[in-house]
Amino acid sequence: MKKARKMLAALLSAAMVMSLLSACGGGQGSATSGSNGPSGNNNPGTPPSKTFTMTVSENLKTLDPHYQTTLMGKVMTQMYLESLLLYDETTGEFFPWLCESYEYSDDGLTWTFHMRDGIKFSDGEVLDANDVVYSFERLMNDKEGSPIASQYWAKLEKVELVDNLTVKLVTSEPLANMRLCLTKTYIIPDEAHKSNGDDLFYQQKCPGSGPWVLAEWVDGQRCVFTKNPNYWNKDWFDSYFDRVEVRMMTESATAITAHVSGDVQAYIPTGGIDADMLALYSGTENRIGISSDISGTFVYAGMSFREGSPFRDENVRWAFEYAVDRQSLVDNVLGGGSVPKSEALELFGENMGYDPDLEPYQYDPELAREYLGKSSYKGEPIEIVTNNGFAKSEEIALFVSECLNEVGFNTNVKIVEVAELMSIRAEGTYDMFLINNMNGSGDLGNDMMQRLVQDTHHSFFEDAEPEIYSKMAEPILAQSRELDVKKRADYTREAMRVIRENAAPHSYLCQYESAFAIDYGITGLEPFADGTLRFTFVTYDGNSDGNVFPDFSPFIK
């Protein structure tokens, strides 16, 4: 096991993008554990129940692995379904998982995967190259409808079965984040899906290749998993627990009460526990460990550039930038965190596009008033819309609104459900929205393509500012095809500079500090620095006084 929540930034950033070296799988080995909890832990190491129960803060929308749109949906999927590659957050390395090795052609277009022999799904069906082909063909057949297909596989042209243990993926152009795409794509059993169709997911009877089997999903309440007795990788991971129950609790106080009372053994909400709620854990220091680090989750403002929008005026945009006191937002609203310079975060390092030379945001209300005074803005109402699905969303929106109104803007705040804000952004019927985001493995390539180039938020920025849009889009398109680590990072920095130099189309406000609470002895829970989560390898170790991440070194070469 590896120490949790300690970021090795240099290694992480260097390995998150695609190297040009072919990869091969490592041998299996037993997981080990280490002690890294806070001093003063009096955990006696008494084995708990064989059922592990934890709470999270959001629900999932579907069980179909290729139509996941929420973080929790992906987290629950990877409990029982697996991908060709996995990712080690502590080192930043991608490595073979369902496949034993892989390589790709010199032009970066053809990737060949050699599957491990002898893997089976929980129902006894063999998992081989046929299942891989079936899974990817299902994605190719609905590239627009499947979020996984549209986000990761728009450039996938062909899937080829070479033999039962070999499969090829052919893309129309090199994909710089190919390995990341592979970790997000889950392999489903072809025969079971042929027999059941999509009822395989909707009726909760999909066999899995992972260490767990989905036993129950009660919408808005819980997901329950039982141990897969035939897990192919049991020599490396064999959980102490026979059953895992993940409860969905939207109220922090309710979740913490359940944890403090001993009803659950961990609380890992999306984005972390609110700083002002941590006092509720007082008195549990000898049983529960609290970890806290700067996370990769950030909040940004998206501006509308439709006809008549005040943000078409660059002076209005600069007035916004100087009006918002971001450091006060971090200190007094979030209770901790940092002010990001761009979407490329310092956390993931310069090889992922972070620019240490980019000027920090400045708070200067007098300068904001000056820009607003020489703009075309005449006090028209501006609605700031956000959703209730992330930490401090309402408080953040109200703080931003107050900052803007103090310099002469006329803003109000509207709070909506997550689904409603998605619809509003898709229709482009907003003045400004505030939303949180995180980039998987620190790689923002797909995110930039979708939001900034393809304009999935419908900001109409290209129509309003074609020259600026072109300067921003060109490096984003270039990085999406670039396999060289440093060149790709340079393209990302170029795009981020264009955004900052023109104060559009997005503005970055704050970066969270994430805190999580886990009982001593519970190990293998992975709240990643990029804001994503993985609970797949949860187990119990009475000799450990703090959560530790799995040790994937046997698979990495």
Side-chain angles (χ1 to χ4, degrees), residues 477-488:
L477 288 166
Q479 67 80 35
S480 71
R481 298 185 290 264
E482 181 58 63
L483 295 178
D484 182 89
V485 171
K486 295 188 180 298
K487 290 181 180 179
R488 188 167 184 239

Side-chain angles (χ1 to χ4, degrees), residues 177-222:
N177 59 351
M178 181 71 163
R179 291 183 181 86
L180 175 64
C181 298
L182 291 164
T183 66
K184 304 296 184 181
T185 306
Y186 304 102
I187 306 305
I188 65 173
D190 61 347
E191 294 301 330
H193 190 262
K194 289 175 184 176
S195 299
N196 296 276
D198 291 345
D199 283 346
L200 186 71
F201 312 116
Y202 300 138
Q203 295 184 11
Q204 305 176 29
K205 55 184 181 182
C206 180
S209 62
W212 307 98
V213 178
L214 177 64
E216 180 186 36
W217 173 40
V218 180
D219 191 8
Q221 297 184 41
R222 64 183 176 273

Side-chain angles (χ1 to χ4, degrees), residues 22 26 54 121 144 173 204 237 251 253 357 366 409 461:
S22 61
M54 65 176 295
F121 289 98
E144 294 186 2
E173 59 185 54
Q204 305 176 29
F237 176 73
E251 292 292 332
D357 298 324
E366 289 303 318
F409 281 95
F461 182 53

Side-chain angles (χ1 to χ4, degrees), residues 123-428:
D123 66 347
E125 178 185 334
V126 172
L127 190 160
D128 57 21
N130 293 280
D131 301 283
V132 177
V133 170
Y134 187 86
S135 298
F136 278 94
E137 285 183 341
R138 183 173 187 248
L139 290 166
M140 290 182 67
N141 289 334
D142 194 11
K143 283 190 176 182
E144 294 186 2
S146 163
I148 300 299
S150 61
Q151 183 174 1
Y152 299 116
W153 300 111
K155 303 299 181 181
L156 181 61
E157 284 198 336
K158 183 172 66 173
V159 185
E160 178 184 343
L161 179 69
V162 178
D163 56 47
N164 284 342
L165 292 177
T166 312
V167 61
K168 289 185 178 182
L169 301 182
V170 181
T171 60
S172 58
E173 59 185 54
L175 297 183
N177 59 351
M178 181 71 163
R179 291 183 181 86
L180 175 64
C181 298
L182 291 164
T183 66
K184 304 296 184 181
T185 306
Y186 304 102
I187 306 305
I188 65 173
D190 61 347
E191 294 301 330
H193 190 262
K194 289 175 184 176
S195 299
N196 296 276
D198 291 345
D199 283 346
L200 186 71
F201 312 116
Y202 300 138
Q203 295 184 11
Q204 305 176 29
K205 55 184 181 182
C206 180
S209 62
W212 307 98
V213 178
L214 177 64
E216 180 186 36
W217 173 40
V218 180
D219 191 8
Q221 297 184 41
R222 64 183 176 273
C223 268
V224 178
F225 302 88
T226 56
K227 196 172 185 178
N228 179 0
N230 300 313
Y231 183 45
W232 66 273
N233 206 6
K234 209 169 185 179
D235 288 344
W236 176 79
F237 176 73
D238 187 6
S239 180
Y240 166 87
F241 299 108
D242 292 331
R243 184 176 182 271
V244 172
E245 180 176 337
V246 182
R247 298 179 185 173
M248 291 78 180
M249 295 184 180
T250 57
E251 292 292 332
S252 295
T254 303
I256 294 174
T257 298
H259 194 184
V260 170
S261 71
D263 190 34
V264 303
Q265 292 82 54
Y267 176 38
I268 303 185
T270 304
I273 304 170
D274 289 350
D276 54 6
M277 301 295 291
L278 292 176
L280 295 177
Y281 278 102
S282 178
T284 66
E285 292 83 1
N286 68 336
R287 180 171 64 87
I288 299 173
I290 307 291
S291 63
S292 182
D293 287 278
I294 298 295
S295 81
T297 302
F298 60 93
V299 178
Y300 70 95
M303 306 169 189
S304 171
F305 295 84
R306 68 182 188 272
E307 193 68 39
S309 169
F311 295 109
R312 286 196 168 208
D313 187 330
E314 185 174 345
N315 289 313
V316 173
R317 304 199 299 266
W318 284 115
F320 172 88
E321 298 289 45
Y322 286 110
V324 180
D325 188 351
R326 291 169 171 82
Q327 193 59 55
S328 181
L329 173 62
V330 166
D331 295 338
N332 300 317
V333 177
L334 297 188
S338 66
V339 178
K341 295 181 178 182
S342 72
E343 186 174 351
L345 303 177
E346 182 178 9
L347 177 69
F348 299 106
E350 294 182 35
N351 281 345
M352 284 307 298
Y354 173 70
D355 189 348
D357 298 324
L358 203 62
E359 289 293 324
Y361 283 104
Q362 296 182 34
Y363 171 57
D364 190 333
E366 289 303 318
L367 190 55
R369 292 186 184 97
E370 182 181 327
Y371 272 111
L372 199 61
K374 63 184 179 182
S375 75
S376 58
Y377 180 68
K378 302 303 179 185
E380 304 93 321
I382 296 175
E383 184 175 75
I384 302 173
V385 61
T386 189
N387 67 48
N388 57 6
F390 64 95
K392 301 281 188 178
S393 58
E394 183 173 359
E395 293 94 330
I396 292 170
L398 290 171
F399 180 89
V400 171
S401 177
E402 182 178 347
C403 287
L404 296 177
N405 291 344
E406 284 183 358
V407 302
F409 281 95
N410 176 18
T411 68
N412 60 83
V413 172
K414 181 179 181 181
I415 312 296
V416 300
E417 296 292 329
V418 175
E420 184 177 351
L421 183 54
M422 290 177 65
S423 298
I424 290 171
R425 297 199 327 258
E427 295 164 359

Side-chain angles (χ1 to χ4, degrees), residues 441-462:
S441 305
D443 191 324
L444 60 157
N446 271 346
D447 205 47
M448 291 193 300
M449 282 293 295
Q450 283 194 310
R451 295 189 295 104
L452 299 172
V453 176
Q454 299 168 354
D455 194 21
T456 54
H457 286 332
H458 289 83
S459 69
F460 308 105
F461 182 53
E462 182 179 8

